[in-house]
Amino acid sequence: MCTLTHRHAIHCILPPYILSRIAEHGPPELRGTAIRALLVDPSIRIVRATTAGPVLGSVARLRSAAGNILTPSPLRTIRDAQHKPEAPGATVVRREGDAPTGDPAADEAYDGLGATFALYWEAYQRNSIDDAGLPLDATVHYDQDYDNAFWDGTQMVFGDGDGALFNRFTLALDVIGHELTHGVTEKEAGLAYFNQSGALNESISDVFGSLVKQKALGQDAAAADWLIGEGLFTPKVKGSALRSMKAPGTAYDDPVLGKDPQPAHMDDFVRTNQDNGGVHINSGIPNRAFYLAATAIGGKAWDRAGTIWYNALLDPNVRANTDFAAFARVTVDVAGRLYGAGSAEATAVGTAWSDVGVS
Amino acid sequence: MADEAGCGGEARMRVEGGFAHLPGRATDSCVPFERLGGDERAELARLADEASFFDCTPQPAAPRPDARTYTIGLTIDGRSRDLQLAEPIHDPRLAALVATVRRITRERGGA
């Protein structure tokens, strides 16, 4: 029963079909309210999420009738693996709209997924991983002493670290953005996770992971640290982060973990059978190319530089086996299409790739 | 990997992949059973038996971004096998075996 007097009556719990009728046929002063109630109603959140890309059908007509422009929102679910090697975790600890749990890992994962969703929507008008509102799932507290995070094809999985060398992996916002971006890449170019295409896959995750962090901090390219995984090491480790996009090969040099093996230039490209053909090693080369392009272009890196890289990822010429040189050509083409062939942006992108030895 | 050693065998582990390539971690570890207590040897034998480690059919899996690949090896009572598994390991018995070998090789192992 509707008893609240400080809220409009239409905010009360009405079945969606009644709200739809009001939205479509009701008096003008109630139609917009009905649409907003429909969009807020948890019972249709999944429907909204899955129809918020190219909007079609009755929902689109309803939105159009109400004159509303949809702003998608994430649909997050955080699960707890309770230190077992199980993903998804058995226990749901936070759903979309729930209050913080007080568990730092669960709340950081929730907030990080939200920040990543915000970057993709606000900067590139991409609605979640698949651009169709795919729910965002994450599992935290995976396994014991687990110092890693990964994308398993359906969700992000985060360990708590071993406490000796590594802190929990949700601490680093760019790591969360990195993992979600693997899902975006899988849905778009589908870059094979091996050799140069795999290193490109890794680099794209570092690029957008860093942009998630930069946007959350409101930093421009010159102010950003361009580190990946800053804060993951405990004080026992001699290093600042897992990777540096600005200066690949300098992130750590530690007696236990060894020295950061990333090259910054094609002259130092590493041929190896380890690490799926060096996907986390040679990604330093395209990482630095993005850093050089973004700082040469200036301003917020997610604006022009990020837009160029994002549109390159969506370009049909970028396929599963695309290598550094092919991706470089696409980024230059995209920059030319977006900003002009002789623009400062296109020149900066071409020069950046040339400076890391990719042509 | 190392030869069969005292007390009927050894446990071996190689970990590849992960969010970053850490050269200091990208090494093989091997623990001869003579370095283990009787309870630990019995636990490994029990977990290997429960997971059908020496008889199971490997499930090939494409590498997942940032996921690790474990090459787990056991030599027990003359039987020896090395098996490559990508995470997440969906069989809980194999997952438990990998977790235990990881722990033992990290705590007692050497390259």
Side-chain angles (χ1 to χ4, degrees), chain A:
Chain A
M1 187 173 71
C2 298
T3 57
L4 298 177
T5 56
H6 63 286
R7 298 172 65 194
H8 196 286
I10 206 165
H11 284 157
C12 298
I13 299 173
L14 293 176
Y17 68 89
I18 293 178
L19 290 170
S20 295
R21 289 285 299 176
I22 295 170
E24 201 161 16
H25 304 293
E29 66 271 20
L30 291 182
R31 289 167 67 185
T33 309
I35 282 289
R36 282 191 291 278
L38 272 168
L39 294 176
V40 168
D41 184 350
S43 69
I44 69 156
R45 289 185 61 82
I46 291 174
V47 173
R48 175 162 61 99
T50 56
T51 58
V55 182
L56 303 169
S58 60
V59 173
R61 287 193 295 277
L62 288 171
R63 288 179 192 142
S64 176
N68 279 0
I69 298 172
L70 174 70
T71 300
S73 57
L75 188 63
R76 293 163 284 187
T77 303
I78 312 298
R79 293 178 172 83
D80 185 344
Q82 298 174 317
H83 304 290
K84 296 176 184 171
E86 297 173 357
T91 307
V92 174
V93 291
R94 191 170 177 189
R95 296 182 194 276
E96 187 63 42
D98 287 352
T101 63
D103 174 351
D107 293 333
E108 286 162 357
Y110 183 92
D111 293 343
L113 294 182
T116 307
F117 184 96
L119 171 79
Y120 275 105
W121 173 250
E122 292 166 12
Y124 313 120
Q125 292 74 57
R126 184 184 187 87
N127 181 10
S128 190
I129 289 172
D130 61 349
D131 199 19
L134 187 76
L136 301 177
D137 294 342
T139 289
V140 298
H141 302 308
Y142 179 82
D143 209 349
Q144 293 184 357
D145 299 327
Y146 187 72
D147 45 13
N148 196 29
F150 65 95
W151 164 253
D152 81 348
T154 62
Q155 65 176 321
M156 286 134 280
V157 181
F158 299 95
D160 288 338
D162 56 12
L165 302 176
F166 286 94
N167 296 310
R168 62 180 182 274
F169 270 62
T170 50
L171 262 177
L173 177 58
D174 47 6
V175 169
I176 298 174
H178 174 111
E179 293 309 326
L180 198 147
T181 299
H182 277 306
V184 174
T185 298
E186 189 173 291
K187 296 289 182 187
E188 298 295 345
L191 290 163
Y193 203 66
F194 193 68
N195 285 348
Q196 280 201 26
S197 60
L200 204 48
N201 188 324
E202 271 301 312
S203 173
I204 287 165
S205 274
D206 278 353
V207 163
F208 291 100
S210 181
L211 294 182
V212 168
K213 177 177 158 184
Q214 290 177 37
K215 186 170 185 299
L217 295 173
Q219 293 177 322
D220 62 24
D225 63 17
W226 296 97
L227 295 172
I228 300 297
E230 195 267 336
L232 292 187
F233 289 147
T234 68
K236 293 179 182 174
V237 176
K238 297 182 187 308
S240 53
L242 289 167
R243 289 186 282 278
S244 168
M245 299 177 69
K246 179 179 180 178
T250 67
Y252 61 90
D253 189 355
D254 180 77
V256 175
L257 299 180
K259 185 180 184 310
D260 178 358
Q262 286 212 306
H265 192 280
M266 282 301 285
D267 287 350
D268 302 312
F269 185 90
V270 177
R271 298 185 189 283
T272 176
N273 291 325
Q274 290 190 324
D275 185 35
N276 292 304
V279 298
H280 295 94
I281 300 172
N282 292 311
S283 57
I285 296 166
N287 273 1
R288 179 159 164 80
F290 182 81
Y291 159 78
L292 290 171
T295 49
I297 291 169
K300 309 296 189 191
W302 62 87
D303 279 344
R304 288 170 290 170
T307 297
I308 293 165
W309 252 246
Y310 176 71
N311 281 279
L313 181 63
L314 270 55
D315 192 287
N317 290 313
V318 176
R319 305 186 184 99
N321 62 348
T322 291
D323 62 11
F324 292 175
F327 188 75
R329 284 193 295 275
V330 172
T331 58
V332 173
D333 288 347
V334 167
R337 288 202 300 269
L338 291 175
Y339 303 106
S343 64
E345 291 83 358
T347 301
V349 171
T351 302
W353 285 112
S354 178
D355 285 351
V356 299
V358 174
S359 57

Side-chain angles (χ1 to χ4, degrees), chain B residues 4-10 33 41 45 54 74-80:
Chain B
E4 185 175 344
C7 301
E10 64 184 20
F33 276 13
R41 290 199 299 270
F54 292 105
L74 287 175
T75 300
I76 300 176
D77 294 336
R79 291 201 296 174
S80 189

